[in-house]
Amino acid sequence: MAELLKGQTGEWELVIGLEVHAQIVAKAKLFSGASTEFGAEPNQQVSLVDAGMPGMLPVLNDEAVRQAVRTGLALNAKINLHSIFARKNFFYPDMPQGYQISQYELPVVGEGEIEIDLPDDAVKNVRVERLHIEQDAGKSIHDQHPAKSMIDLNRSGVALMEIVSHPDMRSAEEAAAYVTKLRAILRYVGSCDGNMQEGSMRCDANVSVRRPGDELGTRCEIKNLNSIRFLRQAIDFEAARQIDVIEEGGTITQETRLYDSDKGETRSMRSKEDAHDYRYFPDPDLLPLDLDQAYVDALKAELPELPDAKKASLRRRTRPVAL
Amino acid sequence: MTDLRNLTLAQARDGMAAGDFTAVELTETFIEATGAVRDLNAYIVETADQARAMAAASDARRAQGQVGAMDGIPVAIKDLFCTKGVQATAGSHILEGFVPPYESTVTQNLWDAGAVMLGKTNLDEFAMGSSNMTSYFGPVANPWKRKGDDAVLVPGGSSGGSAAVVAARAALGATGTDTGGSIRQPGAFTGIVGMKPTYGRCSRWGIIAFASSLDQAGPMTHTVRDSAIMLGAMAGHDPKDSTSMKLDVPDFEAALTGDIRGLRIGIPKEYVMDGMPAEIDALWKTGIDWMRQAGAEIVDISLPHTKYALPTYYIVAPAEASSNLARYDGVRYGLRVDGDTMQDMYENTRGAGFGAEVKRRILIGTYVLSAGYYDAYYLKAQKVRARIAGDFNDAWEKVDAILTPTTPSAAFAQGDKMDDPIAMYLNDIFTVPASLAGLPGISVPAGLSAEGLPLGLQVIGRPYDEETLFRVAGVLEDAAGFDAKPDLSGLGG
């Protein structure tokens, strides 16, 4: 059991949900034929589609779908045979179309579950709410010119899986264990290399605190945590901050925060009032994604042995045999 | 050489095949004609040098016995199509100077069939309009004038430049795009054949997007036969467009049998509009008689959701446009107006780059997709759209094609309706339902108004049954015997 946090005025329970962005292992981007190799010179892996040129159209990369479905199966999740790509509209210079193609109301993968490993051989199930496929953005580089920002579109359009958990975790340790297990599963399946340093796996944490037994508190979302260490530090800092605010008579406002790993603190990025209205709607350039059950079954049959199954079979093999 | 200008596309094709004239001679005629009608402001860019080179290459191919379906035929390209190495503007300041390094699939198909490019034609900005008045590059004049009235009329829109150059016999055909009527309405206003194929028949790849679920390229020509020939060259499955249909392209010209005996032609009662001019109604009745005399069976049908088509269209199309036009942000290409912050740069660029009508539609589209309004507007509009398509599906149980007027009026004067967007939107009242249902439609010039202006009748067909559509349209064309021509004598270059 996760221990409760002690504040000045009593005990607090920490509630954490995670959104993990995992770059799908595929030779080409999600909707264009451009390469996805890491480390190329800026803007060398950009197709006309990735650059948002006029009149360009997305064509779905089947391999990205295959990897997402395999991942969903490995998470014991429901595979939605009918799913929809939607546009998430907002302006950002490294997002050339002016919208991100993602999945909103009907994701390709629905409810699933991950068993996380805790100290002393304890385990806990964390529910996965959904897994959907979406495009990555490019990269803005701010340190090469005093007044200008540079844009690198190599990553623009790369296929991501966004894996969203339920708010089932109760400590930074559990959150770390979740990401560790998820990363192991992704690596076993081969759908993501799990390399957080290169940014091919990134994590957003939704953090709130409440009195034990109360309704969920107001959450803050901490964006773009790129290591498990930072994830733990950010959650611990944020939990302490929220407890301080409430105990001093304040209220938590729903907002997006950034973790500054140099200072070891989170700080406000934008409040809910400034939050984008993404105006999601089905992307008219793409047909609905309709999969056959037979296709899903075939992928399931080909899945490699997963970490939990492997562990279980090792346990079986090492169990003392009664003679 | 002036008589070459009066040929149809089919006649020009046959004339070159017979060795009566060369592609270079034909092209020179039309380059000269382009200069002679420059007053129409129909082109944004003329590509005479390119046309000459393409014509010479066509003659060389012909000498080798390798001739495509459109070989040596000079055509104009709506400036919504991206053309490699030639500016593509969508009629907007925001794309002024943009030279695409790629060629749209439809235009590439035309060049592969041997066609010759005369230039890029003017259009309503981002294809948003029914008058060609919203172009950053100025309005296009209709070559037609009212009897005894020198007022300059609109050619319709958004494919107004394409319509004007064909009507003025400065091109043998032109590409258009039709989102809610942008080929058929200008076709009707200028006395030419404007054809929108089934959604998915032509690739949208490389066409600057307005409303992705509606946009469709099509031919604008003198005759139905020309239309069939040109669509055959434009159409085809394209793996680069996920919404393009995996279907072979039939020989559309072969469908022009002239025989519609036994075909059932539907007449939708909901297309009788209050306040519709009597001459439009009279022309429609005449068209019905022509169909009957040709041996078709006339069937009264009902398309009960017709009255919701226009409001539905003006939710769906702006919603998609508001998203499609987000990419014009000043970051990568086209106009950039700097500002102190990134936000300022966006606002300055888009403020200066887009015209009033485009801004209006971006605002409408943004609104109908917003949190709290999505269900009431966008989602409801999608449901109504499905009902409208359902009306047509029901109709196809009883009929093989549907006959309606193309527009509720003849061409109006430049400047009219500009202060009343709703009056302007009503131009598309008869064309929008087929657009929402993704159906093919064709406008055939069928008569003259009392003021001496061309009027069109529209045939709507089953999805992917352009062959029946052309067959019916061909009979309509023969019966109408429309041979009036605009007086070009007042034009200069």
Side-chain angles (χ1 to χ4, degrees):
Chain A
M1 278 309 292
E3 68 272 36
L4 298 174
L5 300 170
K6 288 204 172 32
Q8 300 294 324
T9 61
E11 292 187 316
W12 295 89
E13 186 180 35
L14 177 54
V15 176
I16 304 157
L18 294 177
E19 294 172 17
V20 172
H21 290 88
Q23 184 180 325
I24 296 176
V25 172
K27 287 198 179 68
K29 294 184 179 180
L30 182 52
F31 295 112
S32 80
S35 170
T36 55
E37 209 172 308
F38 179 76
E41 288 295 301
N43 295 313
Q44 295 308 300
Q45 297 179 342
V46 185
S47 76
L48 296 167
V49 176
D50 307 323
M53 300 301 279
M56 292 299 99
L57 298 172
V59 176
L60 181 61
N61 178 353
D62 294 339
E63 175 61 12
V65 175
R66 196 179 75 90
Q67 291 287 33
V69 171
R70 294 175 71 246
T71 306
L73 291 167
L75 300 176
N76 299 308
K78 178 174 185 288
I79 305 301
N80 294 322
L81 296 181
H82 177 75
S83 68
I84 301 271
F85 287 99
R87 294 187 186 175
K88 178 180 182 179
N89 294 285
F90 60 104
F91 286 97
Y92 210 74
D94 60 25
M95 199 187 53
Q97 295 165 131
Y99 55 85
Q100 177 191 29
I101 305 177
S102 181
Q103 295 191 297
Y104 185 54
E105 284 187 326
L106 291 170
V108 67
V109 176
E111 293 274 344
E113 201 166 61
I114 297 180
E115 187 183 272
I116 63 171
D117 300 309
L118 297 170
D120 303 327
D121 278 345
V123 294
K124 172 176 177 169
N125 284 333
V126 174
R127 292 169 301 151
V128 169
E129 183 189 320
R130 59 186 276 156
L131 177 158
H132 66 252
I133 309 172
E134 64 183 22
Q135 295 177 301
D136 206 347
K139 203 161 69 176
S140 296
I141 304 157
H142 304 292
D143 58 1
Q144 300 199 342
H145 187 278
K148 291 180 178 173
S149 291
M150 304 293 165
I151 307 284
D152 176 7
L153 294 179
N154 281 353
R155 215 176 58 191
S156 165
V158 164
L160 299 179
M161 294 178 280
E162 180 172 333
I163 303 160
V164 183
S165 84
H166 281 279
D168 286 354
M169 287 154 278
R170 295 291 176 267
S171 67
E173 181 136 70
E174 289 185 3
Y178 171 87
V179 174
T180 303
K181 177 54 87 58
L182 178 59
R183 185 168 60 179
I185 292 170
L186 297 175
R187 284 174 169 165
Y188 268 76
V189 170
S191 60
C192 172
D193 67 21
N195 191 331
M196 295 184 83
Q197 267 178 342
E198 284 181 3
S200 51
M201 189 168 157
R202 307 190 288 276
C203 188
D204 304 339
N206 283 297
V207 176
S208 63
V209 296
R210 64 176 172 188
R211 295 291 188 188
D214 271 8
E215 299 283 296
L216 286 176
T218 303
R219 66 191 154 88
C220 293
E221 183 182 19
I222 313 167
K223 280 281 192 199
N224 264 331
L225 298 161
N226 62 2
S227 79
I228 292 176
R229 187 161 64 97
F230 292 159
L231 170 72
R232 298 174 74 127
Q233 289 171 356
I235 289 171
D236 283 336
F237 175 89
E238 180 61 16
R241 185 190 73 84
Q242 291 187 12
I243 291 168
D244 280 353
V245 168
I246 300 169
E247 291 193 331
E248 282 164 22
T251 49
I252 302 300
T253 47
Q254 189 174 334
E255 61 182 357
T256 302
R257 298 179 72 83
L258 273 181
Y259 180 64
D260 183 332
S261 56
D262 293 334
K263 293 186 180 156
E265 62 182 34
T266 66
R267 62 168 180 269
S268 183
M269 194 171 136
R270 58 175 179 261
S271 71
K272 193 188 178 189
E273 288 70 43
D274 301 329
H276 298 293
D277 178 353
Y278 290 121
R279 291 173 284 122
Y280 282 100
F281 74 108
D283 191 329
D285 286 332
L286 290 162
L287 302 174
L289 176 57
D290 288 306
L291 305 173
D292 291 340
Q293 188 60 48
Y295 166 84
V296 176
D297 292 345
L299 292 182
K300 190 167 192 173
E302 290 165 9
L303 269 189
E305 191 178 27
L306 294 166
D308 288 335
K310 195 162 207 164
K311 198 168 69 181
S313 79
L314 281 172
R315 275 200 198 119
R316 271 196 302 281
R317 265 179 262 155
T318 54
R319 189 179 298 155
V321 180
L323 295 171
Chain B
M1 293 295 254
T2 48
D3 55 340
L4 290 186
R5 227 178 124 175
N6 288 321
L7 297 176
T8 66
L9 190 157
Q11 288 166 343
R13 174 192 64 182
D14 297 345
M16 282 185 284
D20 296 344
F21 47 86
T22 65
V24 166
E25 287 166 341
L26 188 67
T27 295
E28 285 299 338
T29 301
F30 281 94
I31 290 171
E32 195 181 308
T34 299
V37 303
R38 213 164 270 147
D39 281 357
L40 297 175
N41 194 33
Y43 280 104
I44 294 174
V45 171
E46 296 173 15
T47 54
D49 290 344
Q50 195 159 336
R52 289 189 177 99
M54 291 172 97
S58 171
D59 285 333
R61 277 193 301 273
R62 194 175 295 277
Q64 301 291 317
Q66 296 163 340
V67 184
M70 296 269 292
D71 231 299
I73 301 291
V75 296
I77 301 298
K78 186 180 186 180
D79 200 22
L80 202 62
F81 292 79
C82 288
T83 39
K84 191 173 181 173
V86 178
Q87 177 183 263
T89 67
S92 182
H93 185 35
I94 211 158
L95 275 174
E96 193 174 11
F98 170 65
V99 177
Y102 48 92
E103 186 78 33
S104 84
T105 298
V106 162
T107 47
Q108 187 60 53
N109 288 348
L110 283 170
W111 314 144
D112 289 348
V116 169
M117 178 164 80
L118 291 167
K120 304 288 294 289
T121 56
N122 204 340
L123 69 158
D124 280 301
E125 186 178 1
F126 283 101
M128 298 177 189
S130 309
S131 64
N132 224 299
M133 295 297 289
T134 72
S135 171
Y136 176 74
F137 300 92
V140 174
N142 192 329
W144 291 83
K145 293 220 163 115
R146 294 180 189 126
K147 273 188 289 196
D149 178 354
D150 213 35
V152 179
L153 306 181
V154 303
S158 65
S159 310
S162 286
V165 293
V166 175
R169 300 206 162 260
L172 287 173
T175 61
T177 63
D178 190 313
T179 304
S182 280
I183 289 174
R184 291 162 287 164
Q185 184 254 16
F189 274 17
T190 59
I192 66 167
V193 175
M195 195 274 174
K196 179 196 99 77
T198 315
Y199 183 80
R201 178 62 92 176
C202 288
S203 170
R204 293 184 296 113
W205 193 89
I207 300 174
I208 296 171
F210 161 17
S212 311
S213 74
L214 295 155
D215 295 344
Q216 188 58 205
M220 306 181 77
T221 56
H222 293 298
T223 68
V224 173
R225 179 172 300 277
D226 292 359
S227 187
I229 294 167
M230 191 162 168
L231 179 65
M234 292 166 70
H237 172 64
D238 180 4
K240 290 186 289 189
D241 175 0
S242 309
T243 63
S244 128
M245 194 69 175
K246 274 186 192 147
L247 273 181
D248 290 336
V249 180
D251 182 348
F252 294 123
E253 196 181 3
L256 299 174
T257 60
D259 183 2
I260 60 164
R261 284 174 300 172
L263 272 189
R264 299 161 302 167
I265 306 294
I267 310 300
K269 65 178 183 194
E270 290 80 6
Y271 280 56
V272 180
M273 295 285 172
D274 285 344
M276 187 160 85
E279 60 188 2
I280 302 282
D281 195 44
L283 181 73
W284 191 14
K285 291 207 165 70
T286 306
I288 294 168
D289 285 342
W290 290 333
M291 295 283 96
R292 193 181 283 120
Q293 283 156 18
E297 182 192 341
I298 302 300
V299 181
D300 288 324
I301 59 167
S302 174
L303 300 168
H305 296 91
T306 298
K307 66 179 168 191
Y308 302 115
L310 214 51
T312 300
Y313 175 84
Y314 277 99
I315 291 171
V316 173
E320 294 181 11
S322 71
S323 177
N324 282 334
L325 271 58
R327 68 186 57 198
Y328 308 107
D329 58 7
V331 174
R332 281 149 292 119
Y333 47 76
L335 182 72
R336 177 191 291 184
V337 182
D338 280 324
D340 291 339
T341 66
M342 192 178 75
Q343 189 71 28
D344 289 345
M345 189 278 283
Y346 284 152
E347 291 176 7
N348 294 345
T349 299
R350 291 168 66 84
F354 291 136
E357 182 61 27
V358 171
K359 285 176 188 165
R360 175 171 15 244
R361 298 201 196 188
I362 290 174
L363 286 169
I364 293 171
T366 302
Y367 181 82
V368 299
L369 289 174
S370 296
Y373 299 98
Y374 179 91
D375 288 358
Y377 291 101
Y378 183 78
L379 198 61
K380 184 159 283 180
Q382 291 294 13
K383 288 176 181 166
V384 177
R385 183 178 183 178
R387 293 289 185 92
I388 290 165
D391 285 353
F392 282 106
N393 283 339
D394 292 345
W396 303 132
E397 304 280 320
K398 299 177 203 147
V399 299
D400 302 298
I402 294 169
L403 182 72
T404 77
T406 309
T407 58
S409 76
F412 47 90
Q414 283 187 352
D416 280 6
K417 303 180 203 263
M418 290 304 286
D419 54 353
D420 185 353
I422 304 292
M424 187 68 89
Y425 296 169
L426 280 169
N427 266 288
D428 294 332
I429 194 151
F430 298 136
T431 48
V432 154
S435 297
L436 288 169
L439 301 172
I442 188 168
S443 177
V444 177
L448 290 177
S449 72
E451 293 172 313
L453 296 178
L455 296 171
L457 288 175
Q458 173 182 231
V459 184
I460 300 168
R462 286 198 178 90
Y464 301 106
D465 188 11
E466 285 87 355
E467 288 166 281
T468 301
L469 188 79
F470 279 128
R471 185 148 60 105
V472 174
V475 170
L476 189 64
E477 177 183 51
D478 285 346
F482 183 89
D483 58 3
K485 291 193 169 50
D487 176 10
L488 303 175
S489 59
L491 286 175

